[in-house]
Amino acid sequence: MFLSKITLNPRSFEARRDAAAPYELHRTLAHAFETVPGRDYRVEHGVLFRLEPLSYRDAQPTILVQSHTEPDWSRLPEHYTTSVKYTAADPDFVSGQTFQFRLVANPTRKEKREGRKQGRRVALADYLTQDDEADAPTAAQAWLSRKGQQHGFEILWAGSDDFWYEAAKGSTVESRQAIPLYGVRFDGMLRVTDPILFKAALQSGIGPAKAFGFGLLSLAPARF
């Protein structure tokens, strides 16, 4: 597994475009990997990415990228970055380990559609898990807890901050389709309950819309 940290050059047109359009960023990152026509490079190479939010004024946007195969960042557009750092990692986990984490996810649920096998994904915004209880967790937080049960970890605590943005998917301005996407940034602490499931989740990401920069789980040593 390879972890990369890319700082975008604010003077680059391509970098400014990608910082405002995650799907365009997804397309640009493809240059760093060998691609096969008709196949999704992100799936083939296990690519997950996230554009880090700016923590202070005039900061340069940073992209975090995780992949199964080694990227060649020299293939990015000229002057696209101001710095690139990456390292190889193959972490192992044991039950009971605790980590600080960050996850920017696209919490959704599927609603059945009459006459169709596939349900429609609906954002889990503005829902409570229990009616008329002020301290009830949001549906997004409940979604994260369920994902933890599926993927070998439990949430010890987590804060969340949700947002919407209009994503565009297509090859030309005329053909692009605006897609409103719901995102939640979770920051908190988790405990590993099943090391095998947890490592698989770390490698494959959590939740849908990974081509739009969702699903990358980042870990740091727990601090008490």
Side-chain angles (χ1 to χ4, degrees):
M1 186 168 72
F2 294 86
L3 303 174
S4 302
K5 182 178 181 179
I6 303 169
T7 303
L8 297 180
N9 181 359
R11 297 184 178 181
S12 164
F13 165 77
E14 292 90 348
R16 294 196 306 273
R17 176 202 64 199
D18 290 355
Y23 192 76
E24 293 298 333
L25 175 56
H26 156 73
R27 289 159 62 95
T28 298
L29 295 177
H31 295 303
F33 301 90
E34 295 292 339
T35 59
V36 177
R39 294 186 183 180
D40 184 344
Y41 88 92
R42 197 200 61 73
V43 175
E44 288 287 307
H45 298 280
V47 177
L48 299 168
F49 69 94
R50 182 173 74 239
L51 183 68
E52 280 289 87
L54 304 185
S55 58
Y56 54 91
R57 189 176 179 181
D58 298 327
Q60 290 176 271
T62 298
I63 309 165
L64 302 180
V65 184
Q66 178 181 295
S67 59
H68 297 336
T69 55
E70 186 173 6
D72 183 356
W73 298 121
S74 67
R75 297 177 179 175
L76 292 178
E78 188 175 10
H79 307 306
Y80 186 81
T81 71
T82 58
S83 69
V84 177
K85 300 177 182 178
Y86 77 96
T87 185
D90 185 18
D92 286 317
F93 303 100
V94 297
S95 295
Q97 277 184 293
T98 56
F99 295 95
Q100 289 181 271
F101 77 92
R102 171 169 292 174
L103 171 67
V104 176
N106 174 228
T108 62
R109 66 181 181 186
K110 280 192 175 183
E111 288 188 346
K112 293 183 179 180
R113 293 187 291 178
E114 187 175 351
R116 299 191 180 185
K117 293 182 179 180
Q118 293 295 325
R120 179 172 65 96
R121 287 196 176 276
V122 178
L124 295 183
D126 302 324
Y127 289 99
L128 293 176
T129 57
Q130 302 174 38
D131 294 333
D132 303 321
E133 290 193 18
D135 61 346
T138 66
Q141 291 169 331
W143 175 90
L144 179 62
S145 293
R146 290 194 300 272
K147 291 299 179 183
Q149 293 171 7
Q150 295 170 15
H151 297 302
F153 64 92
E154 63 177 338
I155 301 299
L156 301 181
W157 63 267
S160 61
D161 185 19
D162 64 350
F163 58 91
W164 286 89
Y165 71 84
E166 294 288 331
K169 183 175 180 179
S171 57
T172 66
V173 173
E174 292 77 12
S175 68
R176 286 176 184 170
Q177 178 183 5
I179 306 171
L181 285 178
Y182 175 63
V184 179
R185 190 184 84 172
F186 299 101
D187 289 287
M189 188 172 295
L190 59 78
R191 178 186 291 124
V192 178
T193 57
D194 186 314
I196 295 176
L197 288 178
F198 183 69
K199 185 172 182 177
L202 183 70
Q203 293 173 333
S204 61
I206 295 175
K210 296 181 179 69
F212 292 92
F214 294 107
L216 174 61
L217 178 64
S218 299
L219 303 175
R223 295 179 181 179
F224 298 95

